[in-house]
Structure formats: C-alpha cells, structure tokens
Amino acid sequence: MTEVRTLWRGAATLGEGPAWDPALGILWFVDIKQQHVHRYDPASAEVATWPAPAQIGWVLPSTGGTLLAGLQTGLARFDPETGEFAHLADVEPDLPGNRLNDATVAIDGTVYFGSMDDGENAITGRVHRWDGHDVTSTGIAPVAITNGPGISPDGATLYHVDTLGGVIHAVALDADGTVGEARVFVTIDPADGHPDGVTVDSAGNVWLGLWGGWCARCYAPDGSLLRQVRLPAANVTKIALGGPDLKTAFATTARKGLDEAALAEQPDAGGLFSFDVEIAGQPLTPARMG
C-alpha cells in the first residue's frame, strides 16, 4: 500500500489546479467555489490564502514573481505580494455561464486551458491556447466539462478530458498549436468515477484524478494502467508532481456534492494530500505573460 500523507485539512469546496513552482519550491492550488488561491510551503507545512475576485480555476507561475490566473471573468495577472488581480484577456465573453477549469503549460510557455459550463450540463466547454498575447481556440470539439489538458514530454501530444463522457482524448500537437484528430486514449468505467485533471510525467505517463473514485491513477503512454493510489477522499481532482526531485505527488480534493453521511466517512475531504512516485514529473515552464 502506498503511504498517503495529509498535508492540509482545509475543507476546500472544490480544490483544484495544483501546480508546483520549481523556482520557489512551493505548491500553488485553488478552491474554485470559495474563490481562493492557496500556496502550500513544504518547508513550513503552512498554507497561505488569497481571495480571488471570481471563480478561479487555476494559477500558474510566470515571470517576475507573478502568476497567470484563470478566472471566470478571463485571464488575469495575479501578484501575491499585493493580492491584486489585473485583467489580461477576455475568454468566451459570449458565454457568461461558462468558467475556466484546468490548464497546463507547454515547454515554450504557451498555456493550454479549458472552459466548462458552470451548470455542468450544456456542451459549451472548449480548449483554448494563450501565447502571452492572445486567446485562440484549439478547435477541439466542445464538451460540457473539460479537464486537463496535459502535454507529453516531447510536446507532440496533448491530452484532454471529457469528464462527463468518461474519456481521455489524445491529439497530435504541432509547435504552432495546431491540433490533429482526437483519438481515445483511455475510457473510464462510470462505476470507477469520473476522470478529472491530468498531469504527464517525464516518461510520458498520464496521472489522473478520479472524481468519485477515491483514487489517482497512472496510465502508460499506450493507455495501460500502471498504478492506482487510494486516497482518503472520494473526489480526487488533480495530481501535480513536485518536490526537490519532482517525485512527490500532490493531490487536491473536493467536498462538493458530499452529504453529511459522506463527509462523516471522509472528514478530510477537500484537503491536500501527497505520496511518493518513482518517475519524476516535468518541470513547469513559467507561463507566458502579456
């Protein structure tokens, strides 16, 4: 059995977006519904928190000590020194019922991120690209809830998740952001939960959080299951690989949708957890900032 460590009992409603900051040696993550940015410092085991002005899907380390933030109102520059958010770009202004949900950074600093219907029903979620100046659509077919995306170490494959459809897709990715035809990478049995965020390690293996599945899974590049780690919370949202050697898995979780009986069974739901892995993650490139 893998040893799972409880790092923070913060009762996040919808903990998400863990991102290891290699320059500072800390973990950023968010609570979408409570509109919080969190920073976990392994050296002190303390979590610092900032309020966001809207639902916030993720923050990603950028240059100059600031972070790129994915808000329901668009992309913004977040400065943790002042706590201020500065608007950078609109995203889907014609879809006010959408919000941003998950993101990753390519090796050149380009950010790929997804949107979703906040009501979790309409097929309005899309995958977008931010090059530091403009937001463009990748052209990937819309779904209700996007998750991921994640990018292979060679930059040639982008993985994105149709959470309600129970599918992780893989598409060819060119250096200019052009994507190819989607193929099914992994299908998740609904009895096992719903696929949530994905992270790709340095060997090209895909780590997946399972909403309602009590676990994180690791899939080889050919789609075969390599490992499953059970966590003390049912709603596992995403894994980030960090630590000094990038061999610590950090898992965010959520309390959203759990009734009193479920919360009694999993009192640490919404917490932050960690466990060790054998294969290191990919170091996170600073996100481009306009």
Side-chain angles (χ1 to χ4, degrees), residues 114-174:
S115 64
M116 62 170 281
D117 172 32
D118 197 31
E120 303 180 5
N121 183 44
I123 311 299
T124 55
R126 290 173 171 80
V127 180
H128 300 283
R129 180 176 183 267
W130 163 256
D131 63 3
H133 300 282
D134 298 301
V135 174
T136 56
S137 175
T138 60
I140 290 172
V143 298
I145 301 176
T146 66
N147 259 297
I151 299 175
S152 61
D154 62 4
T157 303
L158 182 143
Y159 299 93
H160 68 96
V161 181
D162 175 358
T163 294
L164 294 188
V167 177
I168 305 173
H169 294 283
V171 299
L173 181 64
D174 291 340

Side-chain angles (χ1 to χ4, degrees), residues 48-146:
T49 301
W50 293 261
Q55 292 190 92
I56 182 164
W58 43 268
V59 292
L60 293 168
S62 184
T63 55
T66 61
L67 296 99
L68 181 67
L71 298 167
Q72 186 165 18
T73 50
L75 302 185
R77 178 187 289 107
F78 168 59
D79 186 345
E81 289 296 321
T82 64
E84 295 179 351
F85 289 78
H87 183 77
L88 292 173
D90 292 333
V91 181
E92 303 174 342
D94 58 325
L95 295 170
N98 271 14
R99 64 171 173 82
L100 304 190
N101 195 45
D102 203 357
T104 194
V105 189
I107 191 67
D108 66 352
T110 299
V111 176
Y112 291 83
F113 64 96
S115 64
M116 62 170 281
D117 172 32
D118 197 31
E120 303 180 5
N121 183 44
I123 311 299
T124 55
R126 290 173 171 80
V127 180
H128 300 283
R129 180 176 183 267
W130 163 256
D131 63 3
H133 300 282
D134 298 301
V135 174
T136 56
S137 175
T138 60
I140 290 172
V143 298
I145 301 176
T146 66

Side-chain angles (χ1 to χ4, degrees), residues 5 40 44 53 63 66 85 130 137 169 191 200 225 237 255 265:
R5 300 174 289 271
Y40 171 73
S44 64
T63 55
T66 61
F85 289 78
W130 163 256
S137 175
H169 294 283
V200 186
L225 180 62
T237 54
R255 296 168 71 88
E265 182 183 6

